[in-house]
Amino acid sequence: MFNRMISGVASAILLTVSPLTHAASSLPTPTEADWIAKEFSFNSGEKLKDVRIHYITLGDKNKPAVLLLHGTNQPLSALLAPGFAGELFGPGQALDASKYFIIIPEGIGSGKSSKPSDGLRMAFPHYDYDDMVTAQYRLIKEGLGISHLRLVMGYSMGGMQTWLWGEKYPGMMDALVPMASQPNELSGRNWMLRRMLIESIKGDPAWAEGNYQQQPPTLKTANIMFSIATTGGTLAYQHKAPTRALADKLVDARLAAPVTADANDFIYIWGSSANYNAMPGLSRITAPMLIINSADDERNPVETGILQSEFPKIKKAELLLIPASAETSGHGTMMQAKFYNKKLQTFLAETAKP
């Protein structure tokens, strides 16, 4: 159905009290933890021992579990910010943390999870989205001992991984909510700009085949260019910067910000999307889906019609397309849950098991 709306043994767990800030005092205090896979086999054929998956949780483990998946290079704190957690995790809200056990893992290659900058640099195994999903599954099953999920929901990279979750483990969840994503392989401007981001860093002599002593200068400029081109929203940018002086002010602020990323980590994580393609497996998805996208998403332009053409292959799916406005922010719109919190709440009610 297509409704379009406009409006373990091989593991160890190390628990700590999280220093992460959260959206409101009414929310449970987040807990940070690491789960260690004693050995992990990658799709590339490479193996790595002691792969660390860092994650945070909110709520009672005995409550229905919700898995939330972050975007590329997105810090976990973004999913605890007022615009997201403040609209979703509070009392009576869609993902009320007193009713659900919320799990937010950092993907392989991100944050405090195992990544190239831990020491292996470019000798780190080459991973892809399927590897990330496998690691998430092992965390849930082996690390946390959870056999079923009430919901899998993700943004951007996490959204694409949500499609893969539905295909790889179709009986594992009651519902799926991929956001700011599509099931098709990376192509068009989306992949072209990712490729240029990677090539720009590799082309910087300071990168030194990944053996740099300081972060290559191109890392900052290439990332800023990519961000402006693919996240923000045309109407929102024009509203924020209707003059050249104001546009320069936005650019200057980004140029003045310190570099907190690592070039090799960047190359790996953007490259990990290269073989993503959920299209062939759409018929395997059995859980109901609420697909949330925005009309001004620069990476997933609605004009292509790709998503709509694939709906007949999905057993039960609904699309919420958020209209573009000066208040939306293109690909980043999903971090403002006010645009979809009520619809998510209705969807969860409709997919609740008797």
Side-chain angles (χ1 to χ4, degrees), residues 8-26:
V9 174
S11 65
I13 298 179
L14 309 172
L15 294 174
T16 62
V17 176
S18 172
L20 294 169
T21 57
H22 48 101
S25 59
S26 60

Side-chain angles (χ1 to χ4, degrees), residues 50-341:
D50 297 329
V51 171
R52 181 179 64 257
I53 301 298
H54 186 74
Y55 64 99
I56 63 173
T57 61
L58 292 91
D60 183 349
K61 185 181 177 182
N62 295 313
K63 299 294 177 66
V66 171
L67 177 65
L68 294 181
L69 305 175
H70 65 83
T72 309
N73 291 318
Q74 184 180 45
L76 295 189
S77 58
L79 299 181
L80 297 176
F84 189 81
E87 296 283 342
L88 296 177
F89 297 174
Q93 294 176 339
L95 300 179
D96 187 334
S98 69
K99 297 180 178 179
Y100 295 107
F101 180 54
I102 300 171
I103 308 160
I104 313 176
E106 283 184 306
I108 294 173
S110 296
K112 297 179 183 179
S113 291
S114 293
K115 56 190 180 298
S117 62
D118 290 341
L120 289 177
R121 297 196 173 200
M122 295 301 287
F124 192 86
H126 289 82
Y127 60 86
D128 58 20
Y129 283 5
D130 188 78
D131 290 321
M132 292 189 203
V133 170
T134 298
Q136 293 156 6
Y137 178 80
R138 290 186 61 184
L139 164 65
I140 298 299
K141 296 282 285 188
E142 300 174 34
L144 294 173
I146 294 172
S147 60
H148 191 77
L149 296 166
R150 175 66 181 89
L151 173 70
V152 178
M153 176 173 169
Y155 160 67
S156 189
M157 177 179 75
M160 290 187 273
Q161 292 170 3
T162 299
W163 290 94
L164 295 179
W165 260 93
E167 297 176 358
K168 284 171 66 72
Y169 312 110
M172 182 72 179
M173 74 292 294
D174 294 337
L176 296 158
V177 180
M179 304 189 297
S181 65
Q182 297 190 136
N184 59 292
E185 67 178 307
L186 273 292
S187 57
R189 179 175 60 202
N190 196 345
W191 175 248
M192 292 165 71
L193 286 171
R194 291 167 188 250
R195 173 76 188 279
M196 285 304 300
L197 177 61
I198 295 169
E199 297 298 336
S200 295
I201 297 171
K202 285 186 172 182
D204 188 334
W207 180 62
E209 302 297 322
N211 298 310
Y212 44 86
Q213 298 303 309
Q214 295 181 336
Q215 296 299 330
T218 304
L219 173 61
K220 173 185 278 192
T221 54
N223 186 43
I224 293 173
M225 286 285 289
F226 181 85
S227 178
I228 293 173
T230 69
T231 305
T234 299
L235 296 178
Y237 273 138
Q238 193 60 37
H239 178 73
K240 295 174 183 176
T243 67
R244 187 182 68 187
L246 287 174
D248 279 338
K249 187 175 180 180
L250 292 180
V251 172
D252 289 342
R254 296 194 183 198
L255 288 171
V259 175
T260 58
D262 175 84
N264 289 337
D265 291 347
F266 244 65
I267 290 169
Y268 267 75
I269 199 163
W270 289 111
S272 68
S273 64
N275 67 348
Y276 168 78
N277 188 1
M279 295 266 255
L282 290 179
S283 63
R284 295 199 296 269
I285 298 174
T286 58
M289 301 188 79
L290 172 62
I291 303 160
I292 309 178
N293 286 333
S294 56
D296 55 351
D297 189 333
E298 303 91 338
R299 302 185 199 179
N300 303 293
V302 67
E303 296 90 341
T304 63
I306 292 172
L307 184 58
Q308 289 84 340
S309 67
E310 297 304 313
F311 261 88
K313 300 178 183 177
I314 309 172
K315 292 178 175 62
K316 188 175 183 182
E318 183 176 358
L319 171 65
L320 172 61
L321 184 65
I322 300 168
S325 73
E327 292 186 13
T328 56
S329 51
H331 189 68
T333 298
M334 300 307 138
M335 290 300 98
Q336 301 177 68
K338 65 181 181 180
F339 290 114
Y340 56 85
N341 53 9

